[in-house]
């Protein structure tokens, strides 16, 4: 019996979600050690390039496919929001390299865990989308919204502590941008959740 080949759009979205998990796992592991920031930045760039390649695949397939499994705009918007998550992780890592950051702090590692957990929720949701189990996705979008709220709360704590304790203006500028980029990446994860909610509403 032949196994039905998975739709190219769903397969590529799954590949992107899997890449997000690999990137977030690697990010969380590296920020606890900071052994080789140069290598860290290069590896994250590879993840970012991989997701760019998946985005290109989606665009090419949309241009040559007449009937798509869900609305074309939904596929493209979901692809873009997934790509934004890896872009956020890579942009943060590049700042570690450019700013010569040699060690993390408890706030960066906490953000990394929030992002790792968000990546796993995204992965589960995208695989459910491929299986057309739309209502089951809601559990994961709710969790993504909760994790984004944790990111908001953490940013407030970070910035408050930064201005209370750090006197070196250069260090303050560096850390502030990194914290804000990490929080923006949690926002990107929530944007994936919002896009999935739109897809559920239009297809249920």
């Amino acid at each position: 019996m032949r196994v039905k080949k998975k739709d190219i759009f769903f397969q590529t979205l799954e590949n992107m979600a899997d890449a997000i998990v690999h990137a977030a796992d690697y990010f969380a592991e590296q920020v606890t050690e900071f052994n080789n920031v140069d290598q860290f930045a290069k590896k994250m760039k590879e993840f970012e390039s991989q997701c760019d390649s998946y985005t290109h695949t989606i665009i090419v397939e949309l241009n040559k496919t007449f009937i798509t499994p869900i609305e074309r705009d939904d596929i493209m918007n979901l692809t873009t929001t997934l790509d934004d998550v890896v872009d956020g992780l890579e942009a943060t890592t590049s700042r570690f390299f450019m700013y010569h950051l040699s060690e993390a702090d408890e706030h960066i590692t906490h953000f990394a865990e929030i992002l790792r957990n968000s990546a796993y929720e995204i992965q589960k949701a995208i695989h459910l989308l491929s299986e057309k189990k739309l209502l089951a996705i809601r559990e994961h979008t709710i969790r993504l919204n909760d994790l984004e709220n944790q990111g908001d709360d953490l940013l407030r704590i970070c910035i408050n502590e930064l201005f209370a304790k750090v006197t070196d203006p250069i260090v303050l500028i560096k850390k502030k941008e990194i914290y804000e980029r990490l929080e923006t990446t949690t926002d990107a994860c929530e944007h994936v959740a919002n896009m999935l909610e739109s897809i559920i509403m239009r297809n249920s």
Side-chain angles (χ1 to χ4, degrees):
M1 183 177 173
R2 289 179 62 189
V3 177
K4 186 179 178 181
K5 188 178 178 182
K6 187 167 286 187
D7 176 88
I8 184 65
F9 297 107
F10 287 147
Q11 183 61 67
T12 307
L13 289 168
E14 282 188 12
N15 291 343
M16 288 189 81
D18 294 345
I20 288 170
V21 165
H22 295 319
D25 271 341
Y26 182 74
F27 184 89
E29 289 163 8
Q30 292 300 308
V31 296
T32 62
E33 301 168 358
F34 270 83
N35 286 336
N36 188 335
V37 178
D38 183 25
Q39 181 59 36
F40 181 13
K42 286 177 181 175
K43 183 66 175 174
M44 290 304 300
K45 186 65 182 174
E46 289 175 16
F47 285 124
E48 191 256 349
S49 297
Q50 185 179 38
C51 278
D52 285 346
S53 176
Y54 291 139
T55 300
H56 179 70
T57 297
I58 293 281
I59 292 169
V60 169
E61 291 298 324
L62 282 173
N63 284 332
K64 69 182 186 182
T65 304
F66 184 66
I67 298 174
T68 55
I70 56 177
E71 292 290 331
R72 307 170 77 82
D73 286 350
D74 287 344
I75 293 171
M76 194 64 243
N77 290 335
L78 182 57
T79 301
T80 301
T81 55
L82 288 169
D83 191 50
D84 287 345
V85 176
V86 176
D87 285 348
L89 289 169
E90 190 278 327
T92 303
T93 309
S94 70
R95 265 65 187 176
F96 295 155
F97 174 72
M98 289 188 292
Y99 297 163
H100 299 278
L101 198 71
S102 59
E103 60 182 16
D105 58 35
E106 61 178 329
H107 301 311
I108 292 173
T109 54
H110 191 177
F111 263 121
E113 279 307 309
I114 291 172
L115 288 164
R116 173 188 270 179
N117 290 334
S118 297
Y120 277 95
E121 296 299 328
I122 287 170
Q123 183 187 47
K124 291 170 188 172
I126 295 297
H127 282 260
L128 286 169
L129 178 65
S130 288
E131 297 166 13
K132 302 288 185 71
K133 295 178 180 177
L134 299 182
L135 295 181
I137 294 171
R138 282 233 161 88
E139 174 189 346
H140 304 291
T141 60
I142 290 167
R143 180 69 179 141
L144 283 163
N145 287 325
D146 178 57
L147 287 163
E148 191 275 334
N149 287 335
Q150 291 179 35
D152 284 346
D153 293 340
L154 181 56
L155 181 65
R156 282 191 284 272
I157 293 167
C158 291
I159 300 300
N160 179 279
E161 186 176 304
L162 194 61
F163 280 89
K165 296 181 178 180
V166 176
T167 55
D168 184 332
I170 302 299
V171 173
L172 190 148
I173 290 167
K174 291 177 181 179
K175 284 289 188 77
K176 183 173 181 289
E177 184 183 354
I178 286 168
Y179 294 151
E180 288 173 343
R181 282 190 175 274
L182 287 164
E183 193 277 331
T184 298
T185 310
T186 68
D187 287 344
C189 294
E190 186 183 42
H191 295 159
V192 174
N194 294 341
M195 193 61 237
L196 287 166
E197 284 286 352
S198 295
I199 291 170
I200 293 168
M201 285 189 292
R202 278 196 279 272
N203 293 276
S204 296

